[in-house]
């Protein structure tokens, strides 16, 4: 499977500010995904990011709050905008597996705390 | 609305026994089914996937799928203390994954 890295690994931010999370993959992938895992909860898909097209957002997530960039086949960013304490979560990117349909592999995650 | 249900546990199993984890899903259009293992403070790790009805074995792990009953299970044979983790069931009819809340498994030495 691909090697996935995320930056930053953790951050503490003030409410009202924005944070951009980076996701880097060591091989080219068509599809990348962003998930949120709130404390004690499971993962929720935020959006799907394909290179060369606008991200597709899930119900309850909007582009103004979570803008996503996908400039090439190995990189994506997720911005959490105008943060509130409710945005405190782990944010994970994932990439599609190669050769096995629908599989996804996850990066290490970014732990965000909003004060 | 797509839903994936799991018993949150904790499920406590003696070392060496079989751990049985269960999952039901609501979307009959789901095509692919996955089990992820998540250690505390770590990201999910894919351990099994299954697409067709029946059993699929990989080492000590067996995934079972029954689409008619909308039921997926994971059996872990010869359970080890290192198997103690949260196990997440995930399904997809499309691109993204819908996850259950996970079952916390504890293997008692």
């Amino acid at each position: 499977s691909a090697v996935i890295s995320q930056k930053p690994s953790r951050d503490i931010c003030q409410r009202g500010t924005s944070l951009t999370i980076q996701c880097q993959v060591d091989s080219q992938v068509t599809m990348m995904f962003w998930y949120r895992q709130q404390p004690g909860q499971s993962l929720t898909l935020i959006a799907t990011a394909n290179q060369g097209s606008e991200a597709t957002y899930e119900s309850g997530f909007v582009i103004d709050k979570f803008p996503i960039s996908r400039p090439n086949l190995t990189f994506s960013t997720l911005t959490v905008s105008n943060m509130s304490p409710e945005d405190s979560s782990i944010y994970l990117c994932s990439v599609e597996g190669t050769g096995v349909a629908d599989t996804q592999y996850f990066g290490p995650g970014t732990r965000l705390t909003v004060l | 609305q797509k839903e994936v249900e799991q018993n949150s546990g904790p499920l406590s199993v003696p070392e060496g026994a079989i751990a049985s984890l269960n999952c039901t899903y609501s979307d009959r259009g789901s095509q692919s089914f996955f089990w992820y293992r998540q250690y505390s403070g770590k990201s999910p790790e894919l351990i099994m996937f299954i697409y067709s009805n029946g059993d699929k074995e990989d080492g000590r792990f067996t995934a079972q799928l029954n689409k008619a009953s909308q039921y997926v299970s994971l059996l872990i044979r010869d359970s080890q203390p290192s198997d103690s983790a949260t196990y997440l069931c995930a399904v997809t009819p499309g691109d993204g994954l819908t996850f259950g809340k996970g079952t916390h498994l504890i293997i008692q030495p």
Side-chain angles (χ1 to χ4, degrees):
Chain A
S1 60
V3 176
I4 307 167
S5 60
Q6 285 186 234
K7 290 182 181 180
S9 59
R10 59 178 62 224
D11 207 341
I12 301 173
C13 301
Q14 297 297 318
R15 69 169 66 214
T17 64
S18 298
L19 176 72
T20 295
I21 302 167
Q22 299 178 7
C23 181
Q24 180 77 52
V25 192
D26 70 342
S27 58
Q28 294 183 337
V29 293
T30 302
M31 300 183 72
M32 297 179 75
F33 307 86
W34 287 98
Y35 290 81
R36 179 176 73 182
Q37 187 171 28
Q38 295 177 300
Q41 301 298 312
S42 190
L43 285 78
T44 302
L45 179 65
I46 297 172
T48 301
N50 290 340
Q51 194 269 337
S53 62
E54 295 289 327
T56 302
Y57 289 83
E58 295 298 300
S59 176
F61 297 96
V62 295
I63 187 171
D64 289 346
K65 176 67 176 178
F66 298 100
I68 289 170
S69 77
R70 183 76 201 276
N72 58 51
L73 291 173
T74 63
F75 187 78
S76 178
T77 67
L78 169 75
T79 298
V80 186
S81 303
N82 188 25
M83 288 183 286
S84 67
E86 292 70 35
D87 294 319
S88 297
S89 290
I90 298 173
Y91 292 86
L92 299 118
C93 71
S94 72
V95 304
E96 57 179 349
T98 55
V100 183
D102 296 331
T103 55
Q104 292 184 25
Y105 297 93
F106 286 85
T110 296
R111 183 180 295 271
L112 170 62
T113 301
V114 184
L115 302 178
Chain B
Q1 183 175 358
K2 307 171 196 175
E3 292 185 348
V4 178
E5 301 288 339
Q6 294 181 256
N7 189 322
S8 62
L11 174 64
S12 185
V13 175
E15 183 177 357
I18 297 174
S20 178
L21 306 165
N22 304 315
C23 169
T24 59
Y25 59 95
S26 63
D27 187 350
R28 285 195 172 273
S30 299
Q31 296 292 324
S32 307
F33 306 86
F34 307 90
W35 284 98
Y36 285 81
R37 178 175 62 198
Q38 187 173 29
Y39 293 114
S40 180
K42 300 295 186 181
S43 62
E45 173 192 9
L46 179 65
I47 55 172
M48 288 290 287
F49 56 88
I50 186 167
Y51 303 122
S52 303
N53 281 327
D55 295 359
K56 178 183 178 183
E57 185 175 320
D58 184 1
R60 294 186 298 112
F61 299 100
T62 299
Q64 299 175 317
L65 173 61
N66 184 325
K67 289 187 178 180
S69 299
Q70 296 175 249
Y71 178 90
V72 192
S73 65
L74 178 70
L75 301 177
I76 306 175
R77 290 181 299 280
D78 189 23
S79 297
Q80 302 297 310
S82 59
D83 295 326
S84 297
T86 297
Y87 289 80
L88 302 168
C89 174
V91 308
T92 180
D95 293 335
L97 295 173
T98 301
F99 282 86
K101 292 186 176 181
T103 298
H104 182 45
L105 175 65
I106 300 172
I107 306 301
Q108 294 184 327

